[in-house]
Amino acid sequence: MEPVAADSVANTLGTDWGVAATEAPLVQSAGRQEAKPQSAGGRALPDVQSTIDHRGLRVDAVGIKDIRYPINVRSGGNTTPTVATLTMTVGLPATSKGTHMSRFVEILEEQSQALSLEDFRTFIPAMLRKLDARSGEVEMRFPYFIRKAAPVSGVQSLLDYEVSWTGRCDGNPDNVALRMKVSVPATSLCPCSKEISAYGAHNQRSCISIDTEVSEAIPIQDLVRMAERGASCEVYGLLKRQDEKFVTERAYDNPKFVEDLVRDVALALDVDPRVKAFVVEAENFESIHNHSAFARISRGRMSS
């Protein structure tokens, strides 16, 4: 099970973030970066957002939401091109009229490296310095493709997983809370249906999501494997007949309730020293009902 290589897709997206960096002229002032005053026709343009607000209300989060950008993600020794959707915010003091919205996009343009989770950790304090803020958060959601080999024929195909990285800093740039979430498709087969039926059992596609707060970087592939091992069977992008026979029988020999899915994944997360807290959820898209079955287990306190 290997992530897709960053080859021709990377050429399409461009290097690293996929866009050449373009920097606005900056000057240093009191240890922070400030944009030079802009002008039109020789006349300086007013910087309204830098004026003082007198209402005495701090804004908890202000920034840009759901901006899409091409990136390269580095995980488990592999670099994979994808397109991320980002939300970037900072806290705004009560005395400030507004934040500098354009600087969020400048930060993306200035990013010159493929991002690992550890790189993402340092990305948060850099944003705070750029915005002259004491607190902030970045959420980055992206599809991540892993190349999988079918269980019998060995034929290879890509399977996509939904991943999100979230970093939050409150005052101390050396203390960034890191969260990583993966959503993993899988197969579940009902133990009760198997037990009471003369033949067959109802089975369905499931979605197992693992949301973790981590003390150190965890490869995306590690969380994906935890989820897939907790299911009745994995799913694949491409299967031949002999593979279809294998996964059908594998699920039948490994029946699991939705409760079993979250319990088995939680057991694996409990013993992983890299995981500080977690929420694991499973949803079975029931094949014999017009509703889903759902379960959740939480451990520790996740940063908000």
Side-chain angles (χ1 to χ4, degrees), residues 200-278:
H202 84 80
N203 60 88
Q204 53 273 319
R205 189 160 49 88
S206 304
C207 180
I208 302 172
S209 68
I210 303 174
D211 192 358
T212 59
E213 183 165 341
V214 298
S215 58
E216 60 182 274
I218 299 179
I220 295 169
Q221 300 91 322
D222 286 9
L223 290 186
V224 168
R225 291 189 190 101
M226 285 185 195
E228 291 182 334
R229 283 196 290 262
S232 293
C233 188
E234 301 177 36
V235 300
Y236 299 85
L238 176 61
L239 295 172
K240 297 298 187 178
R241 279 174 293 180
Q242 59 268 42
D243 302 309
E244 186 173 351
K245 177 179 184 296
F246 176 91
V247 298
T248 300
E249 293 172 348
R250 166 63 179 164
Y252 189 80
D253 291 337
N254 190 31
K256 293 195 177 187
F257 290 124
V258 70
E259 299 93 332
D260 296 318
L261 301 182
V262 293
R263 282 172 170 152
D264 287 345
V265 175
L267 285 175
L269 292 167
D270 265 335
V271 298
D272 193 316
R274 301 169 295 181
V275 177
K276 297 169 61 176
F278 67 82

Side-chain angles (χ1 to χ4, degrees), residues 192-206:
C192 180
S193 175
K194 176 182 176 179
E195 184 67 24
I196 64 176
S197 301
Y199 48 86
H202 84 80
N203 60 88
Q204 53 273 319
R205 189 160 49 88
S206 304

Side-chain angles (χ1 to χ4, degrees), residues 42-121:
R43 181 175 59 87
L45 298 176
D47 188 4
V48 178
Q49 66 265 33
S50 294
T51 59
I52 296 175
D53 193 273
H54 300 284
R55 285 165 286 190
L57 293 173
R58 182 183 185 276
V59 179
D60 297 328
V62 58
I64 61 176
K65 189 177 189 297
D66 291 343
I67 182 172
R68 291 193 297 178
Y69 246 73
I71 64 167
N72 282 335
V73 171
R74 190 167 66 248
S75 179
N78 299 282
T79 300
T80 304
T82 186
V83 176
T85 301
L86 297 102
T87 295
M88 308 167 68
T89 60
V90 294
L92 188 70
T95 55
S96 295
K97 180 73 171 177
T99 192
H100 295 272
M101 293 291 185
S102 63
R103 294 186 186 178
F104 290 103
V105 182
E106 287 178 357
I107 293 166
L108 299 181
E109 291 286 343
E110 292 165 5
Q111 174 63 36
S112 61
Q113 301 292 329
L115 279 184
S116 68
L117 190 58
E118 280 301 323
D119 297 327
F120 184 72
R121 184 196 299 271

